[in-house]
Amino acid sequence: MSLDDCVGSLLNDDICILPTETVYGLACSAYSSTAIKKVFKLKGRPCSNPLIVHVLNHDAANEVCHTNDLSKKLAKAFWPGPLTLVLPKRKSIPNILTANLDTVGVRSPAHPEFRRILKSVDIPLAAPSANKSNKLSPTSFDNVKDEFGDNTPPILDGGSCKVGIESTVLDLTSKYPNILRHGSISKDQIQKVIGMEVQCLKKILKLETPIPNSQKSPGQFSKHYCPNTPLILHSSLIKLINVIPEYENDIIILPFKKETLNFDSSAFSILFLSENGDPNEIAYNLYNTLHEADKLNKDKIHASLFEDDFGVFSAINDRLTRASTKLI
Ligand code: TXA
Ligand code: MG
């Protein structure tokens, strides 16, 4: 679909799939309840889980929420980019978008095509990740083209998403800024910019239900981002490598290529997340590799958690944990 066609759809209460630097988004006017309802329905998303709003810059954010000094500093440092700020909402945003919360998540995306569309439509755009609820987020045109079958909305092909995992979500409405979802912008980076302590929503429980302080983070279901093939998560790379020979009929995902495999690996389906363990490269490849693994139609996927649990590794561990059916 062309950029002009997308603009036409968005201005006519319709939805389309747009590339962002993190993942593809299912976009619609943030002011149109009609279009927002279509997004919830197509995703199969519970109406208790709010959408986020995309704007060109901090001034535009102020039209959908009450910005403040902290948000200004953060926007100056990280926008356009993968940081979503949760702030008190303005009346301009329909309650259906925020699941009746009095806050709204807002970010300024960096993808040039998305920004051109924002400029043309001149309204804020809601865009959750363009996947069915609880499934893997799409990071390429190929990943997204069949996600909604015959109901797939028009897609603007913007190539592969450079970041590859969803934005960091930071709540600025509590006493301390609180990371609700890890992403490529880390707690340390945020703390440096605002000069104050940042907290993190605690570890995810392996439950089908939202974690206890779910009002603050309605989207943090423990089961999320799932491939169709069951994913078994090993608590460390060493543990996974020790048992690989037992998994000849499964798919094994390893973090980097250099790892010495002390057996003939030619009989195994092994996918690598990076050349040498660079966390940004791993994040970039994560969903695409899980999509690839799904296409191999094997019984199970095996991957391991990262021992490092800071920065981007926290985001990668978070997505792997929630994508897994079992942790051993
Ligand atoms: O990178 C991204 O954030 C992508 C691209 C398309 O921008 N979008 C995305 O949207 O991941 P979505 O809807 O799949 O995830 C947004 C997350 C959800 O977990 C949602 O619960 C949370 O942000 N969220 C949205 N509004 C919120 C609010 N007012 N308070 C707390 N959490 C909120
Ligand atoms: Mg999502």
Side-chain angles (χ1 to χ4, degrees):
M1 187 190 220
S2 77
L3 201 131
D4 287 343
D5 292 338
C6 288
V7 170
S9 296
L10 294 165
L11 292 175
N12 275 301
D13 293 335
D14 237 325
I15 53 184
C16 52
I17 295 179
L18 302 181
T20 83
E21 77 281 26
T22 58
V23 300
Y24 276 72
L26 200 53
C28 74
S29 160
Y31 293 149
S32 166
S33 299
T34 311
I36 293 165
K37 277 183 202 151
K38 289 184 192 171
V39 167
F40 274 99
K41 188 164 174 221
L42 191 60
K43 265 186 80 79
R45 181 169 181 137
C47 54
S48 54
N49 189 4
L51 307 184
I52 64 170
V53 174
H54 298 69
V55 293
L56 267 178
N57 50 39
H58 194 255
D59 283 346
N62 198 46
E63 287 173 26
V64 299
C65 60
H66 297 274
T67 55
N68 56 33
D69 287 348
L70 273 191
S71 65
K72 200 169 182 179
K73 274 190 198 163
L74 288 162
K76 191 159 178 246
F78 299 116
W79 282 4
L83 178 67
T84 296
L85 301 174
V86 173
L87 287 157
K89 107 185 223 321
R90 288 195 190 273
K91 287 206 176 70
S92 58
I93 293 296
N95 289 334
I96 178 180
L97 184 148
T98 61
N100 286 320
L101 293 179
D102 51 13
T103 58
V104 63
V106 60
R107 85 174 189 99
S108 179
H111 197 290
E113 300 287 297
F114 201 116
R115 296 188 68 76
R116 280 170 65 197
I117 289 190
L118 276 173
K119 268 181 208 143
S120 299
V121 293
D122 201 22
I123 46 171
L125 295 176
S129 49
N131 51 289
K132 291 235 182 75
S133 221
N134 295 340
K135 291 294 175 190
L136 294 175
S137 293
T139 55
S140 69
F141 178 78
D142 261 6
N143 289 167
V144 80
K145 69 181 189 323
D146 302 319
E147 180 69 15
F148 303 101
D150 290 346
N151 296 324
T152 304
I155 307 170
L156 184 70
D157 184 356
S160 301
C161 304
K162 290 208 163 65
V163 177
I165 51 172
E166 304 84 349
S167 60
T168 305
V169 178
L170 181 71
D171 176 29
L172 292 179
T173 65
S174 304
K175 186 169 170 210
Y176 293 100
N178 192 4
I179 293 183
L180 303 180
R181 178 176 72 185
H182 290 287
S184 63
I185 295 181
S186 69
K187 175 177 162 170
D188 284 353
Q189 284 176 290
I190 295 170
Q191 286 183 158
K192 262 189 206 133
V193 167
I194 57 179
M196 65 188 285
E197 191 189 333
V198 169
Q199 297 187 332
C200 293
L201 191 77
K202 272 300 150 210
K203 291 273 176 213
I204 303 132
L205 309 175
K206 292 302 288 177
L207 297 172
E208 297 276 335
T209 48
I211 49 179
N213 63 351
S214 55
Q215 278 110 319
K216 271 287 166 212
S217 184
Q220 300 303 289
F221 292 87
S222 62
K223 204 159 156 31
H224 211 108
Y225 313 113
C226 291
N228 296 321
T229 316
L231 170 67
I232 311 297
L233 193 57
H234 298 254
S235 55
S236 74
L237 180 59
I238 300 294
K239 284 192 182 156
L240 170 59
I241 286 178
N242 283 340
V243 287
I244 283 183
E246 292 168 27
Y247 298 134
E248 192 168 341
N249 295 318
D250 298 343
I251 307 153
I252 294 121
I253 294 181
L254 295 178
F256 45 83
K257 284 190 172 160
K258 270 199 223 142
E259 191 59 47
T260 321
L261 301 172
N262 57 357
F263 57 90
D264 176 12
S265 60
S266 54
F268 296 87
S269 303
I270 298 185
L271 300 173
F272 293 96
L273 289 169
S274 72
E275 288 291 325
N276 57 18
D278 174 73
N280 290 316
E281 193 188 345
I282 292 171
Y284 171 77
N285 286 320
L286 183 67
Y287 286 133
N288 200 39
T289 307
L290 290 170
H291 277 284
E292 288 302 312
D294 252 352
K295 281 192 214 145
L296 296 175
N297 277 324
K298 298 273 184 147
D299 289 345
K300 291 192 188 77
I301 304 170
H302 296 268
S304 63
L305 278 172
F306 289 84
E307 273 161 41
D308 292 328
D309 201 20
F310 55 83
V312 191
F313 285 119
S314 303
I316 298 166
N317 278 345
D318 166 73
R319 302 307 191 275
L320 281 171
T321 306
R322 287 199 260 164
S324 65
T325 39
K326 201 168 163 195
L327 176 64
I328 54 178

